[in-house]
Amino acid sequence: MAITSANQLELLQTAEAVAREKMIDPGLVVEAMEESLARAAKSRYGSEMDIRVSIDRKTGRATFTRVRTVVADDELENYQAEMTVETAKQYLDDPKIGDTFVEEVPPVEMGRIAAQSAKQVILQKVREAERDRQYEEFKDRAGTIINGIVKREEYGNVIVDIGAGEAVLRRNEKIGRESYRPNDRIRVYIKDVRREVRGPQIFLSRTAPEFMAELFKMEVPEIYEGIIEIKAVARDPGSRAKIGVISYDSSIDPVGACVGMRGSRVQAVVNELQGEKIDIIPWNEDMPTFLVNALQPAEVSKVVLDEDAERIEVVVPEEQLSLAIGRRGQNVRLASQLTGLDIDIMTEEEESARRQAEFEERTKLFVDTLDLDEFFAQLLVAEGFTSLEEVAYVELDELTVIDGVDEDTAAELQARARDYIDAQNAKALENARALGVEDSLVGFDGLTPQMIEALANDGVKTLEDFATCADWELAGGWTVVDGARHKDDGVLEPFGVDLEEAQAMVMTARIQLGWVDPDDLVSDEEPEETAGETEEAQA
């Protein structure tokens, strides 16, 4: 094919038609044509030449040019596309390195192979432009609901036509055993949009908690307007769900607004989710109160929250236990997802038995270590004392408030407690030294003899060993594996050392060893504080 006046306008008409069909910029198609013609020209004139093609956007005339760049003598590598300053003087008045000399060359006639190659280049460019357009269109729509038409099903995954392209609803993102036939209409949540080598991949979901939240936003005007906010959603797709809502207008009941007149609003969501039962729960900033609401319809007698471990204990009457747990643990599992806490459910009888066991254990501790009779030890426990350290180091008046305890008795109690603690410390230190603990660790501020003994049993015997420990190895933590949280026990966790304290101790050890410069530490922390202040200001 030769680029003649007969088909110059045809180039532009083709570009316009392709651009209109693919909904992309005609300029991108013309650029693809220019690149394909340049590639064909290089095969004719030589691949080492820098041949460029420019198509006039009005007339369609294609101009072929050869470009040569001026380079330094020692950098000349390609004689066809480069030339030295001396050579350039034949063509340019005052050549400098980086200047270019452009001359027009005759248009090429494209043979069958060259035409086929040009077609492939154009198609590739058009596909890339189409992918870019699709990505730009959908990247900001992640997190929204879209209606589509089922095209086909492949290995359990549903391919959905969403108008400007295709998206995939994976098998594990379908509710229960949903099945679709070609041309079925489907409402889905855009979970993720990713740019990949083969083009943008749009991943859909019907099981995501956010899908339910968006459905409620469509059905409940108060949510759309921001008067009511959905604070948390937990789902067992196709079976049951819990949703926590709060109203910022005291005159509007958030639960009633979401249920609607005769349940019309919530029923519309239920129908879309294949009959999934939905519990609508009033949100409360006080987590124990919110959990009591979340465990409905079960009645809760008592709630004990451990914020550090992100665990919560719930006590229920015996007859309410099965209701609180739910079928196959569904009710408590959804409540756990909703609150973000691990929940331990026990009956009143179980809790009473546990408290009695703790009472007896602490009583025995005081009987054995302080040489007290059982009644006196029970008085201490009943007053709230749980450890020898509490008895040894509290103010005397906290002991004298106990019936029958005067100042002399209180002083004697503290002396016995301190003597026992000192003896235990000496024994722990002796055991630690027998295990090979060095003075550098023994003298480290913040570690008790019992802590040093525990570290020695774990193989930490020097300050260098201690400085290489991770904070979670000392204080413990939680690891998420396959969606389940697993407890990692810390060496110093039994002594009440939390992650922040462990971090501070390890950093102090590194500073003492000269591994970390305190000045660098301060400069590293300053931007974080600034960022925190910015976040607080924005909040």
Side-chain angles (χ1 to χ4, degrees):
M1 179 182 83
I3 304 298
T4 63
S5 57
N7 57 20
Q8 285 173 359
L9 285 174
E10 191 179 332
L11 280 176
L12 293 180
Q13 291 169 354
T14 303
E16 287 284 351
V18 171
R20 195 162 45 247
E21 180 188 347
K22 301 295 183 180
M23 291 186 291
I24 59 176
D25 182 2
L28 294 173
V29 182
V30 175
E31 285 174 16
M33 290 176 170
E34 289 173 342
E35 187 178 325
S36 63
L37 289 172
R39 187 174 295 188
K42 281 185 180 181
S43 66
R44 167 70 176 80
Y45 288 111
S47 59
E48 292 185 345
M49 284 193 183
D50 185 0
I51 302 292
R52 302 179 189 179
V53 178
S54 174
I55 297 176
D56 189 294
R57 300 304 196 263
K58 293 182 179 179
T59 65
R61 181 176 183 275
T63 304
F64 289 71
T65 55
R66 176 189 180 187
V67 179
R68 281 186 282 180
T69 305
V70 180
V71 297
D73 293 358
D74 57 346
E75 293 180 3
L76 183 63
E77 292 180 357
N78 182 355
Y79 289 90
Q80 299 291 348
E82 298 170 344
M83 58 183 171
T84 64
V85 174
E86 193 62 36
T87 307
K89 289 178 179 177
Q90 302 174 35
Y91 309 101
L92 301 170
D93 293 337
D94 184 21
K96 296 182 181 64
I97 293 174
D99 289 350
T100 56
F101 173 64
V102 181
E103 59 180 333
E104 191 169 339
V105 295
V108 298
E109 291 205 9
M110 299 177 68
R112 185 177 60 83
I113 295 176
Q116 190 65 27
S117 174
K119 181 181 177 183
Q120 290 300 320
V121 171
I122 294 171
L123 288 175
Q124 179 65 25
K125 283 286 185 180
V126 168
R127 274 196 294 268
E128 288 174 4
E130 194 177 7
R131 288 168 182 168
D132 287 342
R133 180 195 57 75
Q134 188 178 350
Y135 177 76
E136 290 299 322
E137 181 179 341
F138 284 96
K139 70 175 182 179
D140 296 326
R141 295 181 66 181
T144 62
I145 288 177
I146 192 171
N147 292 315
I149 297 174
V150 174
K151 290 190 74 174
R152 61 189 182 279
E153 193 164 346
E154 297 176 352
Y155 308 106
N157 300 325
V158 179
I159 308 303
V160 181
D161 182 353
I162 52 176
E166 292 183 354
V168 60
L169 177 66
R170 288 176 172 165
R171 179 169 38 192
N172 61 334
E173 297 290 349
K174 294 192 293 184
I175 296 174
R177 297 183 179 179
E178 282 182 330
S179 61
Y180 296 98
R181 291 176 296 181
N183 298 320
D184 280 355
R185 294 191 65 80
I186 184 173
R187 184 183 287 183
V188 284
Y189 176 78
I190 301 178
K191 189 174 184 179
D192 192 17
V193 180
R194 295 201 292 262
R195 190 196 293 271
E196 296 187 356
V197 177
R198 53 182 178 172
Q201 295 294 295
I202 302 167
F203 298 100
L204 308 174
S205 175
R206 283 175 56 79
T207 61
E210 297 84 359
F211 181 44
M212 175 180 287
E214 288 297 312
L215 287 173
F216 268 104
K217 189 183 291 186
M218 295 170 69
E219 296 294 336
V220 183
E222 291 88 347
I223 295 177
Y224 181 79
E225 293 166 5
I227 300 169
I228 294 173
E229 182 185 355
I230 297 172
K231 300 288 285 186
V233 181
R235 291 182 64 192
D236 192 348
S239 177
R240 192 172 178 186
K242 291 180 183 286
I243 180 170
V245 293
I246 186 171
S247 173
Y248 296 113
D249 185 338
S250 57
S251 65
I252 296 178
D253 171 27
V255 176
C258 291
V259 171
M261 186 73 71
R262 296 180 183 173
S264 58
R265 291 174 174 177
V266 72
Q267 194 57 47
V269 177
V270 168
N271 292 341
E272 179 62 44
L273 299 177
Q274 306 293 322
E276 194 169 313
K277 292 175 183 162
I278 303 172
D279 297 335
I280 303 172
I281 299 152
W283 171 268
N284 197 301
E285 291 294 340
D286 181 55
M287 198 52 68
T289 304
F290 179 52
L291 180 63
V292 170
N293 295 338
L295 282 172
Q296 291 176 357
E299 296 176 9
V300 176
S301 305
K302 182 178 171 185
V303 173
V304 180
L305 173 64
D306 183 348
E307 292 185 6
D308 292 335
E310 294 186 342
R311 295 184 71 81
I312 197 161
E313 290 181 354
V314 178
V315 181
V316 298
E318 181 76 40
E319 66 275 8
Q320 294 285 318
L321 182 63
S322 60
L323 193 60
I325 294 173
R327 187 181 61 179
R328 298 176 186 161
Q330 186 183 63
N331 195 48
V332 70
R333 185 172 66 252
L334 289 175
S336 178
Q337 290 176 20
L338 204 65
T339 57
L341 298 169
D342 283 340
I343 300 173
D344 289 335
I345 291 188
M346 62 183 74
T347 63
E348 291 173 342
E349 290 81 359
E350 289 171 339
E351 198 243 354
S352 176
R354 193 192 66 175
R355 288 174 63 84
Q356 183 62 34
E358 287 178 355
F359 188 88
E360 291 173 359
E361 183 183 337
R362 289 168 186 167
T363 300
K364 187 175 185 304
L365 170 70
F366 292 141
V367 168
D368 294 344
T369 58
L370 301 180
D371 193 22
L372 302 175
D373 60 40
E374 187 174 358
F375 176 74
F376 204 104
Q378 287 175 347
L379 282 177
L380 281 175
V381 177
E383 198 60 36
F385 289 94
T386 61
S387 67
L388 286 176
E389 284 76 16
E390 289 181 6
V391 175
Y393 302 113
V394 296
E395 297 293 333
L396 273 179
D397 56 7
E398 292 193 38
L399 288 169
T400 55
V401 297
I402 302 173
D403 289 340
V405 178
D406 55 22
E407 285 194 9
D408 291 338
T409 307
E412 175 62 23
L413 275 174
Q414 288 199 323
R416 290 184 188 182
R418 288 170 182 168
D419 288 344
Y420 187 86
I421 290 170
D422 290 342
Q424 290 298 306
N425 287 345
K427 184 178 179 183
L429 208 52
E430 183 183 342
N431 292 340
R433 290 194 183 281
L435 289 167
V437 168
E438 295 184 4
D439 290 340
S440 60
L441 189 61
V442 173
F444 184 75
D445 189 32
L447 291 178
T448 65
Q450 282 81 6
M451 290 181 184
I452 294 168
E453 182 184 18
L455 288 167
N457 283 321
D458 200 56
V460 179
K461 301 176 182 179
T462 67
L463 191 60
E464 286 83 355
D465 293 341
F466 185 73
T468 58
C469 290
D471 50 10
W472 62 267
E473 290 179 299
L474 300 176
W478 296 85
T479 305
V480 177
V481 180
D482 297 330
R485 297 171 79 240
H486 298 275
K487 183 73 178 69
D488 296 319
D489 295 326
V491 182
L492 302 183
E493 192 175 358
F495 306 99
V497 175
D498 61 26
L499 277 172
E500 193 174 339
E501 291 171 324
Q503 218 169 36
M505 285 197 291
V506 169
M507 194 56 67
T508 302
R510 291 172 183 173
I511 290 171
Q512 288 182 8
L513 291 167
W515 295 359
V516 175
D517 187 334
D519 295 333
D520 293 342
L521 202 60
V522 171
S523 63
D524 286 344
E525 288 173 354
E526 282 174 356
E528 294 178 7
E529 290 172 11
T530 306
E533 290 167 7
T534 304
E535 287 174 12
E536 288 174 9
Q538 289 173 347

